[in-house]
Amino acid sequence: MPDVTLTTLRALKQKGEKITMLTCYDATFADACCKAGVEVLLIGDSLGMVLQGHDSTLPVSMADTVYHTASVKRGNAGALIVADLPFMANATVEQTLHNAGLLMQAGAHVIKVEGAAWLAESITKLAERGVPVCAHMGLTPQAVNILGGYKVQGREHNQARQMVADAIALEQAGAAMLLLECVPSDLAGEISRAVKVPVIGIGAGPDTDGQVLVLHDMLGLSLSGRVAKFVKNFMHGQPSIQGALAAYVKEVKAVSFPAAEHGFSA
């Protein structure tokens, strides 16, 4: 697979080809994902739940994320690497710049931050210093205690209008990508059309520019036994993990995943 860059992703959006992203936390799975054609690898703070066994992403540290980013970097063969800033790692602009630098030095190509329009200043400062940013909107797991749980965001009219405005504001601030989590499908499609940067969805319907799932979820692995509505087990009918990864890429590209049952209405 040729090296994937932000230019690659913008070109895919422009021609209407879906982008594939999966979370990834180590060198072996980085290699397997690249062989399957996954274009973007996300070192998500989801590692706190699926690797460390916590009940939320909040305990994940910068040291954890740096370690796993470096691990993914060593197994990567051409994918774009996006790494999460964990909980409270971007509480101030200065802290954001410092911690983003650590992740970029560990091997990230893009830094992901959770929030809304309040991120604009940090995003601009990062972009000015050569650090591309993916802004994570909608259900932001680091704010789970404010949100009152893992709930769909943007169902109310005013909240939906604000989300569209925030997406445009973050693009104008310099965001290179957006990620929408647990957003009504129609709203996610509207946001994807309102901005020029690639928009990746998880639980956001089929009309975003690409899709992401947590690796363990799409392989049918769950500590809790609970499966989110937007998850599909791609191990079903496959003889191997490599086959499941390839099936995920094929279905996202064919726009057969996510199907209607994986999305949310307003």
Side-chain angles (χ1 to χ4, degrees):
M1 180 172 68
D3 286 353
V4 176
T5 67
L6 287 167
T7 301
T8 309
L9 302 189
R10 287 192 291 266
L12 291 174
K13 174 170 179 143
Q14 288 170 3
K15 68 180 181 179
E17 181 179 338
K18 299 298 184 181
I19 298 162
T20 58
M21 176 192 282
L22 285 172
T23 65
C24 189
Y25 316 101
D26 62 43
T28 301
F29 270 109
D31 177 69
C33 287
C34 289
K35 287 176 178 173
V38 177
E39 287 136 343
V40 187
L41 305 179
L42 170 62
I43 298 90
D45 57 6
S46 50
L47 68 90
M49 301 175 79
V50 300
L51 297 187
Q52 298 173 337
H54 297 298
D55 60 3
S56 76
T57 64
L58 303 189
V60 176
S61 68
M62 273 303 303
D64 293 333
T65 311
V66 168
Y67 171 85
H68 287 284
T69 299
S71 298
V72 169
K73 166 69 172 176
R74 289 189 284 269
N76 185 41
L80 187 77
I81 297 175
V82 179
D84 256 339
L85 278 178
F87 179 63
M88 292 298 288
N90 62 327
T92 67
V93 172
E94 293 74 17
Q95 188 182 28
T96 302
L97 295 175
H98 173 73
N99 288 329
L102 295 177
L103 290 178
M104 294 291 283
Q105 289 172 338
H109 302 120
V110 178
I111 302 302
K112 184 166 79 64
V113 291
E114 293 187 13
W118 63 268
L119 291 169
E121 182 183 3
S122 292
I123 289 173
T124 298
K125 295 292 186 184
L126 287 167
E128 287 173 348
R129 288 155 178 79
V131 179
V133 178
C134 175
H136 181 158
M137 302 175 61
L139 171 58
T140 48
Q142 292 175 14
V144 63
N145 291 308
I146 290 287
L147 298 175
Y150 298 96
K151 300 177 180 179
V152 178
Q153 301 297 306
R155 279 181 160 155
E156 296 179 3
H157 176 77
N158 289 343
Q159 187 186 36
R161 293 307 94 208
Q162 186 62 55
M163 199 175 295
V164 174
D166 286 352
I168 293 170
L170 293 179
E171 178 185 37
Q172 291 173 344
M177 299 173 62
L178 299 178
L179 190 150
L180 302 178
E181 180 171 356
C182 289
V183 172
S185 300
D186 288 347
L187 175 59
E190 180 182 353
I191 292 172
S192 300
R193 293 185 294 272
V195 297
K196 295 180 180 178
V197 297
V199 179
I200 308 299
I202 177 168
D207 295 330
T208 53
D209 302 309
Q211 298 294 326
V212 62
L213 284 177
V214 172
L215 178 67
H216 294 62
D217 288 347
M218 58 83 65
L219 293 176
L221 300 173
S222 171
L223 280 173
S224 67
R226 297 190 298 271
V227 179
K229 178 182 179 180
F230 54 77
V231 170
K232 177 176 178 178
N233 182 354
F234 283 87
M235 281 299 298
H236 285 157
Q238 296 298 327
S240 66
I241 288 174
Q242 196 65 56
L245 297 173
Y248 170 75
V249 171
K250 182 178 180 180
E251 291 195 24
V252 171
K253 293 289 186 182
V255 203
S256 56
F257 176 82
E261 65 264 24
H262 301 116
F264 301 98
S265 58

